[in-house]
Amino acid sequence: MAPDSKVEVIRMDTLRKIKNPWIIYETEVPHSRICDPDCGVSPAEKLSSKHLQLLRKAFTCTKAGRQAQENRAEIMRGGNKGGNEEPGINSEKFCEVVRSVMGPDTVDTWVERFFNEVDICCSGQVNWQQLCSYLLLEYTERERASIPRAALLDTQPQIRHCSQNKREPTVRVLAISHPPPLRYISVSKGGQVTVWNSSLHILKSIGLVGDPTEEVANRRRFRGWTTDAVYMGNVQKVAIATDCRDLHFVDVSAASVFEDVQLFGFRSVPTALCYWHDVQCPEQPSLLLLGDEKGGVHLMRFLNPSEGLFKSLSRRERGPQRIFFPDLCDHSDMVSYHHIANVHQEPINRVMFEPSTQVIMTSSESDNNSVVFMNVTLKQGPYVWKINQGAKCFDYNESLQLMVTGGCDRAVRLWTRFVTSSPVATLRGHRTTVLDVAIYGLVEQIFSYSRDAELRVWDIFSHQCLKTIRLQFPCLQPGRIPEHGNFPFLFPHPSLPQQTHLIVACKDYLSLLHLSDTRRGVDTWLKDEGQEIESGPAFSCAVYNSSLRQLVSGHVDSSVCVWDVETGRRRLHISNAHGEEELTCMTLDSSHRRLITGARNGTIKVWNLLNGLNLHKLEPVTESEVTGLTCLHGNQLLAVGWSQRIAQYSISAAKDLYVKADLSWKSSSVHKSDILAVCQCSALGVIATASHDGEVIIWRLETQGAVLHLRRRTQRRALPPVDCLLFLQHRASKRKMRNRGVLVSSQAGCLCFWSVTGQTHNYGLFCALEQPGERVLCLSSDQPKNKILVCGDTTGLLQIWDISNYGLEIENQEVCECPPLLQRWRAHRGAVVSVEVLDVADRLSILTASVDGAAGLWTLDGDQVGSFGQEVMWNIYQPATYKSCGKNLKELTEDSEEKTDSGELGLSRVKGRVPDLVDRGQTSEEKCCSEAPYTSPADTDHEQPQKHLATSYPTISS
C-alpha cells in the first residue's frame, strides 16, 4: 500500500493549478470587523497583563491544571499514557476562575460569551492553551485592524491609449474644472495637447504651433520637446514649456481649444512650472513660477489677469501672438518679471509655491542642494536639504508640515518642515528610481510611483506600505524599463472636490484609479442604530444558524453580516471578507460556531461567528469560483466549483492559519462541466453534486467515489444547468421512505424528485414557474417532517408546496402533476438567492435573501415579520410587532402579468453562473412535460423501492 500512497500524493500535487496558493491571500484587501456593542467589551480589551498572570495561575492550580502538569512531565520522561491532550475546565469552573480574577461583579452573560468564543469546537471544556491561542489571535487581529486601509480602491485601473501622442510619452496631465464638466488635458513630449472627459475618452486634440520661420506648406509644425505644463485656472489657459526656450499659452475656456500666445527667447530652457492665483479673488495678481535647466527660478507676476496676460498687439500673421522674451518690458502694465539665479547646481525638476508664507520650493538631482525652500523676498535664509543622489521628485503638505522626496536611490523619505539634517522616516520597497510622490492629506497617506510601473501606498504615521500595485500597461515588456514623462502623477487637488481619481501616465498610456476621499480606518462597534439599512449590497448567499438563531448573509461586495432572527438586529459585520471578491457560497461547521465562506476567486475562509475572527485560510485548488460548500461529520469540509473537482479540508483540529487541500476524492474528470451545487445526506452516507451540463452525480462518503449519474431525458443536445439541490433528510432517515424521492433538483424552473437507491430513480417532476425563461435558485423544506417544499426564483417569487404525499410513487408519465400549492407571494423585487425554513417561537417561518439587497423573515401565510436592518426591531414572539402582510395567492394572481425589471437583473448576478441554455421560445411548463428523467446505470447494489408511507397533510401553522 505504501507505493500506491506515494503515487497518489504525487498525483495530487500535479493537480494543483496554483504555484503559490497563499499569495492570493497576501495580496487581497484586508478585512475588518464591526461588532454589536450590546455584546459587551471584548475579553482582549478587558484583560490586562495582571489578569492574564492570575488566569494562568488559576488554571494551573485547578485539578485539571495539575493533571496537565503531570501529563507534560510524563511526556518529558518519554512516557505516553494517552495524556498528550491538555485537559480543560468546564463552563461552570471557567466562570469561577474568571470571577476570581476579574471580580465578583463580572456579568454572567459576558463570562458565558467569553467561554463560548474560546470553546469554538463546542467540546464543553477549555484549557490554558486554547485560551492563549484565542487571545493571541484576538490581539493579532486588533493590531492588524489598527492599520488603515489604502485609499486606493482599484486592484487594476482603467487604462486608455492616447494614439495622438504618436508613441511619445505623456509629460503632464492636468485637470480642468471650469467651465464644467470636469475634463483632463494631457500634453505629450512631442507637443500634442489632448482633451479627455472624466472617464478618459478623447474629446479633441491639437498640436502646438511651431516657429513661423520653419513653416512648410503653410504649416508651422512644432519640432521640439515639451518639458512641463500647468493649468492657469483663473484665466482658463494652459502654459506649456518646451526645450525650444519658449512658453506656449493654450486657451481652454471655449469649446474649441487653441493656442493663444507664444513667449519665446528665454535665456535657458524652462524645465518645471507652477502657477498660483487667489481662488477667492481670481482678479487679483497671480504668479507663474518657472524653474530652468541652469538651476534658476523665474517669477512672472500677472498684474491684471482678468484683462489678459499680455498686451494684445495688432497681428498681421495668422496663428498665436508671438512675444519675444527680451521685449517683455513692453508689457510692464500687464506682467512683471524677476529672476533668481543659481538656486540649484542642476536643472530644477519640481517647483511649488506656498502662498501663506510666500515660500518657493524647488528640487533637483544635486547632492548639495537637493531641495530648497526660500522666501520670495529673499530676506530670510533658505532651508536646504542635502540628499544623496538628489531628489527626482517631492511633494509638500502645509497642514501636516510634511515633505516627501523620492529619487534614484529608490527610497521615499519623509521630512519635517524645519529639520533638514535627517528624515523622519525612510520608506524602502521600490526596486527602481522613484519618479513621482504625492501626499494625500485627506487620508494621511503617501503615494509613490517608480520607473517599473509600480505604485505604492504608505501610511504617514505607521510608515507601513498599505498596498502595492504593478500597473499593467500594454507598453510594458519583460526586461525593459518603459519610458515616462517628467510628471507621471495627476493627483486630486483640494480645490477640485469632484476629482476623486488618480491618473498615472506611462509612455502613451493613461491609467485611471479611484480613490477614497475619507480615511478608511477600522471601527470596533456597529453604529447603525436608528438607521434604516433594509436595502444594502446585493445578497449572494445566506445560511441560517439554528443553534444561535441567527441569519448569516454574504454579499457581492465581499461583506458578511450576522443578524438576530428574533429581533432583526445586526450583530456582526465583516467587510472585505475575501478582499474585493464577491462571496459565492457559505456553510456552517458541525458546532454552528464557525462559518466557512467561498469566493469567486477560489479562496475559502473559516470564521468565528461569535467575534468575527478569521480562524483559517484554506488552500485554493484553482483561482476559479467556489460554488458550493458542505461540512461533513467530524468537520471535514467539502468544496466544489468551477475546478470540476471535490476538494476536502480538515478543520476539526487545525491549529495553523493555512490549511492545505486534500484532493483524494476520485473526482477528476467525472464532471464534464463546472459544478454548481453540492448537498449531503448523512443518513444515506452520500453527497450529491450537480453541474452546468445538467448532470447530478451521487457520491458515497465511505469510498469517495461516484456511484450514480442522474440526467433528465431530453431530445436536445444540451440540458439546462442544475441551479440547486436539496436532500429531504426526514425521508432519508426513515427506512420505509429512504428509497423514494429524497433528492430534489432544480433545472430551468423544473423540480425533479430523485431516488438515490433502488433500480428506478424518477419519482416526480413538475414546473414551479409561471414565466418562461426564469429559474428556481433555492430550495428548502421543514427537515424534521418534510411536509412542505419552499422555492424562490429569479422573479422574487416565493412558493410553498405540499409534498407530504409527493415523490413517493414511481413516475412513468410524461405529464407530471404539481403538488398542491399552499401559498405564493412576491417576496422581493429581485432574484431570491437563499431561502430557509426555520422553527422558532413554536411555529415555522421562512427566511429569504435577494439580489435586491434585502433579506426578510416571513410567516407561512405570507405575512412579513420584518426586513433585516429595518429601523424598528421586531419581537418574534409578539405578532403585533410584525411589519406587514405580504401578497397571498389570490392577490398575486391579479398582478401575475406584471414582471419587475429587477428580475432579469437578479438572474444575471446570481453566483456568476454561465448564462442559461434554456430555449426561451418554449415555456418552462412545456419543457417539464416533454422531458422525462432518465438515469445512467451504475454498477452498485441499491435497496429496492418500497411502498410509500402515507403522511398527513401539513397545516400552515405547524
Side-chain angles (χ1 to χ4, degrees):
M1 293 298 293
D4 295 339
S5 301
K6 184 176 182 180
V7 171
E8 179 64 20
V9 170
I10 294 175
R11 187 180 65 84
M12 287 164 53
D13 290 339
T14 58
L15 288 171
R16 289 186 167 89
K17 304 298 183 182
I18 308 175
K19 294 182 179 180
N20 182 6
W22 313 116
I23 191 67
I24 195 170
Y25 291 111
E26 297 170 1
T27 57
E28 70 182 10
V29 176
H31 72 274
S32 60
R33 57 194 176 122
I34 309 176
C35 304
D36 188 350
D38 285 357
C39 298
V41 180
S42 167
E45 290 186 67
K46 202 167 185 178
L47 293 175
S48 65
S49 58
K50 184 178 180 180
H51 289 150
L52 293 177
Q53 293 175 358
L54 293 174
L55 274 176
R56 175 178 172 81
K57 185 176 180 180
F59 264 84
T60 56
C61 288
T62 61
K63 182 178 180 181
R66 290 193 296 271
Q67 180 64 44
Q69 289 181 331
E70 294 175 4
N71 289 340
R72 284 194 291 267
E74 181 68 23
I75 295 172
M76 292 296 293
R77 290 193 296 268
N80 187 0
K81 298 181 179 180
N84 293 1
E85 289 295 330
E86 180 180 350
I89 59 177
N90 57 24
S91 176
E92 183 179 352
K93 187 63 180 178
F94 182 82
C95 183
E96 294 178 10
V97 170
V98 173
R99 283 180 178 276
S100 66
V101 172
M102 305 291 295
D105 297 333
T106 307
V107 182
D108 291 341
T109 55
W110 184 87
V111 179
E112 181 182 357
R113 181 177 180 83
F114 187 7
F115 180 85
N116 290 334
E117 289 186 13
V118 179
D119 183 26
I120 192 64
C121 297
C122 278
S123 62
Q125 290 188 332
V126 296
N127 55 43
W128 175 247
Q129 183 180 1
Q130 288 176 317
L131 180 60
C132 289
S133 299
Y134 161 77
L135 291 175
L136 178 61
L137 187 62
E138 182 74 38
Y139 291 138
T140 303
E141 177 76 11
R142 289 182 174 273
E143 182 181 4
R144 183 201 59 77
S146 65
I147 302 173
R149 287 178 289 164
L152 196 60
L153 302 179
D154 300 277
T155 303
Q156 277 299 326
Q158 303 176 35
I159 295 180
R160 298 285 189 265
H161 181 232
C162 187
S163 56
Q164 282 79 359
N165 281 19
K166 299 177 182 178
R167 298 186 179 181
E168 294 287 352
T170 297
V171 172
R172 175 76 88 167
V173 183
L174 305 169
I176 310 298
S177 59
H178 186 78
L182 176 68
R183 294 163 294 156
Y184 297 109
I185 288 183
S186 64
V187 180
S188 75
K189 187 176 181 179
Q192 198 69 23
V193 180
T194 305
V195 184
W196 312 72
N197 64 10
S198 57
S199 300
L200 281 191
H201 292 99
I202 296 177
L203 300 178
K204 63 189 69 176
S205 182
I206 67 167
L208 293 181
V209 179
D211 191 331
T213 60
E214 299 179 1
E215 182 173 334
V216 178
N218 295 326
R219 293 186 60 185
R220 292 162 55 180
R221 183 180 176 184
F222 176 72
R223 298 183 180 276
W225 284 354
T226 62
T227 56
D228 195 8
V230 68
Y231 175 54
M232 308 170 70
N234 61 333
V235 293
Q236 287 85 53
K237 296 183 187 297
V238 172
I240 303 174
T242 76
D243 65 349
C244 301
R245 297 184 300 163
D246 56 14
L247 204 60
H248 299 247
F249 294 88
V250 179
D251 193 304
V252 295
S253 60
S256 58
V257 178
F258 62 94
E259 188 173 342
D260 188 25
V261 178
Q262 287 183 5
L263 183 61
F264 67 98
F266 281 88
R267 297 184 181 92
S268 56
V269 174
T271 53
L273 301 178
C274 176
Y275 184 77
W276 173 85
H277 71 280
D278 192 336
V279 178
Q280 302 299 327
C281 301
E283 69 279 359
Q284 292 296 317
S286 57
L287 181 65
L288 177 63
L289 300 172
L290 299 87
D292 64 28
E293 62 177 344
K294 296 181 180 180
V297 177
H298 307 256
L299 291 81
M300 298 178 63
R301 190 177 298 274
F302 298 100
L303 306 178
N304 193 7
S306 59
E307 298 295 329
L309 301 180
F310 307 96
K311 286 184 179 180
S312 297
L313 303 177
S314 58
R315 290 178 289 174
R316 296 180 180 179
E317 71 278 0
R318 55 184 176 81
Q321 176 184 356
R322 286 177 56 82
I323 301 174
F324 188 39
F325 179 76
D327 297 336
L328 198 61
C329 57
D330 297 339
H331 301 262
S332 58
D333 295 340
M334 305 293 291
V335 58
S336 65
Y337 171 77
H338 180 61
H339 178 235
I340 305 174
N342 302 321
V343 178
H344 291 269
Q345 300 171 357
E346 299 285 343
I348 294 177
N349 50 39
R350 292 288 192 280
V351 179
M352 293 185 68
F353 180 68
E354 185 182 303
S356 60
T357 57
Q358 294 288 295
V359 171
I360 301 172
M361 298 167 278
T362 58
S363 66
S364 72
E365 296 186 57
S366 171
D367 294 345
N368 296 325
N369 46 12
S370 305
V371 180
V372 177
F373 282 21
M374 60 181 178
N375 193 275
V376 172
T377 62
L378 301 180
K379 293 181 179 180
Q380 300 175 357
Y383 286 87
V384 179
W385 282 263
K386 298 180 180 181
I387 306 172
N388 185 29
Q389 300 185 50
K392 188 80 173 175
C393 53
F394 83 96
D395 192 20
Y396 176 75
N397 185 280
E398 182 180 4
S399 61
L400 297 175
Q401 294 287 290
L402 179 70
M403 180 179 70
V404 180
T405 63
C408 296
D409 63 350
R410 301 169 292 179
V412 177
R413 292 180 174 87
L414 281 62
W415 309 79
T416 57
R417 171 68 171 81
F418 301 103
V419 179
T420 62
S421 57
S422 61
V424 176
T426 301
L427 313 179
R428 300 191 183 277
H430 284 291
R431 294 165 292 183
T432 56
T433 300
V434 178
L435 297 180
D436 216 342
V437 292
I439 301 174
Y440 195 16
L442 288 175
V443 297
E444 298 171 334
Q445 293 175 8
I446 296 170
F447 285 65
S448 61
Y449 179 75
S450 56
R451 195 180 296 276
D452 58 353
E454 184 179 82
L455 177 66
R456 286 179 176 258
V457 186
W458 313 80
D459 181 59
I460 288 178
F461 300 106
S462 67
H463 307 153
Q464 291 190 344
C465 182
L466 305 179
K467 198 167 188 176
T468 302
I469 294 181
R470 180 73 184 274
L471 300 179
Q472 300 298 323
F473 290 104
C475 58
L476 297 180
Q477 296 181 12
R480 293 188 178 183
I481 299 296
E483 185 179 3
H484 289 83
N486 299 330
F487 309 91
F489 272 175
L490 170 62
F491 219 78
H493 194 274
S495 63
L496 298 177
Q498 66 271 41
Q499 182 196 355
T500 57
H501 305 94
L502 165 66
I503 294 181
V504 183
C506 176
K507 202 170 175 25
D508 53 346
Y509 287 90
L510 299 181
S511 63
L512 182 72
L513 299 100
H514 295 77
L515 300 178
S516 170
D517 57 359
T518 57
R519 185 173 175 83
R520 301 197 299 165
V522 179
D523 211 338
T524 54
W525 303 112
L526 285 173
K527 295 182 178 178
D528 53 17
E529 244 183 311
Q531 300 179 8
E532 192 158 352
I533 52 172
E534 291 185 54
S535 183
F539 287 78
S540 55
C541 52
V543 65
Y544 173 61
N545 189 331
S546 58
S547 299
L548 302 178
R549 293 194 173 182
Q550 293 176 336
L551 169 68
V552 187
S553 60
H555 303 259
V556 296
D557 66 346
S558 199
S559 62
V560 174
C561 291
V562 179
W563 311 86
D564 186 358
V565 168
E566 295 183 351
T567 62
R569 184 184 181 90
R570 186 167 60 165
R571 294 296 184 184
L572 178 67
H573 177 85
I574 304 173
S575 61
N576 297 109
H578 286 258
E580 297 173 340
E581 295 292 333
E582 175 185 343
L583 296 183
T584 52
C585 56
M586 58 174 49
T587 190
L588 301 172
D589 75 335
S590 304
S591 66
H592 286 194
R593 297 277 182 87
R594 288 180 287 193
L595 172 72
I596 303 98
T597 57
R600 186 184 293 276
N601 63 346
T603 55
I604 306 173
K605 294 185 179 182
V606 183
W607 308 85
N608 186 330
L609 267 179
L610 299 179
N611 52 29
L613 287 175
N614 182 202
L615 303 175
H616 305 293
K617 299 178 181 180
L618 311 187
E619 178 189 11
V621 178
T622 63
E623 293 183 359
S624 57
E625 182 174 332
V626 180
T627 56
L629 297 166
T630 186
C631 202
L632 308 177
H633 178 71
N635 282 330
Q636 297 297 312
L637 178 70
L638 299 183
V640 300
W642 289 4
S643 66
Q644 303 179 16
R645 294 183 54 82
I646 299 176
Q648 182 169 319
Y649 303 87
S650 178
I651 61 173
S652 57
K655 297 181 181 179
D656 297 329
L657 176 63
Y658 296 105
V659 179
K660 292 187 70 67
D662 177 5
L663 301 178
S664 59
W665 277 72
K666 307 176 184 68
S667 58
S668 178
S669 303
V670 178
H671 272 291
K672 307 302 181 184
S673 184
D674 298 337
I675 303 177
L676 302 182
V678 62
C679 190
Q680 66 159 309
C681 181
S682 56
L684 297 178
V686 299
I687 66 166
T689 57
S691 54
H692 189 269
D693 58 5
E695 184 176 41
V696 178
I697 298 179
I698 310 299
W699 309 75
R700 194 179 298 279
L701 294 175
E702 184 179 2
T703 61
Q704 297 184 346
V707 295
L708 184 65
H709 295 249
L710 304 172
R711 291 180 65 93
R712 285 170 49 191
R713 183 181 297 116
T714 178
Q715 297 177 355
R716 297 178 301 163
R717 293 182 179 180
L719 278 172
V722 178
D723 292 308
C724 56
L725 296 171
L726 176 69
F727 270 110
L728 303 177
Q729 305 290 351
H730 174 72
R731 290 189 182 184
S733 63
K734 299 297 181 180
R735 183 177 180 182
K736 294 183 179 180
M737 302 177 67
R738 63 175 50 181
N739 54 358
R740 311 293 178 172
V742 297
L743 176 63
V744 186
S745 65
S746 168
Q747 288 179 271
C750 294
L751 304 186
C752 309
F753 284 68
W754 307 93
S755 170
V756 298
T757 60
Q759 297 298 323
T760 304
H761 305 286
N762 173 26
Y763 274 78
L765 181 148
F766 70 93
C767 182
L769 294 177
E770 284 187 333
Q771 301 176 4
E774 303 297 340
R775 292 149 56 191
V776 172
L777 301 178
C778 48
L779 297 168
S780 185
S781 178
D782 55 331
Q783 292 296 4
K785 298 180 180 179
N786 290 148
K787 291 185 178 181
I788 62 173
L789 179 68
V790 183
C791 63
D793 61 31
T794 51
T795 66
L797 197 66
L798 207 65
Q799 299 181 90
I800 304 177
W801 305 88
D802 172 18
I803 61 167
S804 55
N805 295 307
Y806 193 85
L808 301 178
E809 296 288 348
I810 298 175
E811 290 287 349
N812 293 319
Q813 300 179 0
E814 292 185 359
V815 179
C816 309
E817 295 183 0
C818 298
L821 179 63
L822 302 179
Q823 279 290 349
R824 178 173 59 192
W825 70 92
R826 192 172 305 283
H828 294 278
R829 299 186 303 272
V832 180
V833 296
S834 180
V835 62
E836 294 269 2
V837 178
L838 58 145
D839 188 355
V840 61
D842 298 326
R843 66 174 67 92
L844 292 181
S845 302
I846 300 176
L847 282 171
T848 59
S850 169
V851 297
D852 63 9
L857 181 63
W858 311 79
T859 68
L860 291 187
D861 293 323
D863 294 334
Q864 187 176 18
V865 176
S867 295
F868 291 93
Q870 67 184 34
E871 184 175 358
V872 180
M873 305 299 171
W874 67 76
N875 188 331
I876 193 66
Y877 301 100
Q878 298 178 7
T881 64
Y882 294 177
K883 184 176 182 180
S884 62
C885 294
K887 291 186 176 183
N888 57 29
L889 178 60
K890 181 178 179 181
E891 292 172 332
L892 187 66
T893 304
E894 295 175 356
D895 60 357
S896 61
E897 299 293 329
E898 300 179 2
K899 180 178 179 181
T900 61
D901 294 336
S902 57
E904 295 184 3
L905 174 64
L907 177 62
S908 63
R909 296 183 64 178
V910 172
K911 299 186 179 180
R913 292 184 179 128
V914 183
D916 198 352
L917 298 177
V918 179
D919 181 7
R920 294 179 181 265
Q922 186 182 13
T923 65
S924 299
E925 189 169 357
E926 289 171 344
K927 292 180 178 61
C928 291
C929 296
S930 62
E931 296 173 6
Y934 78 98
T935 62
S936 299
D939 300 330
T940 53
D941 296 330
H942 303 294
E943 298 179 9
Q944 294 297 325
Q946 302 178 18
K947 293 183 178 179
H948 72 274
L949 177 67
T951 55
S952 58
Y953 188 86
T955 57
I956 284 295
S957 59
S958 62

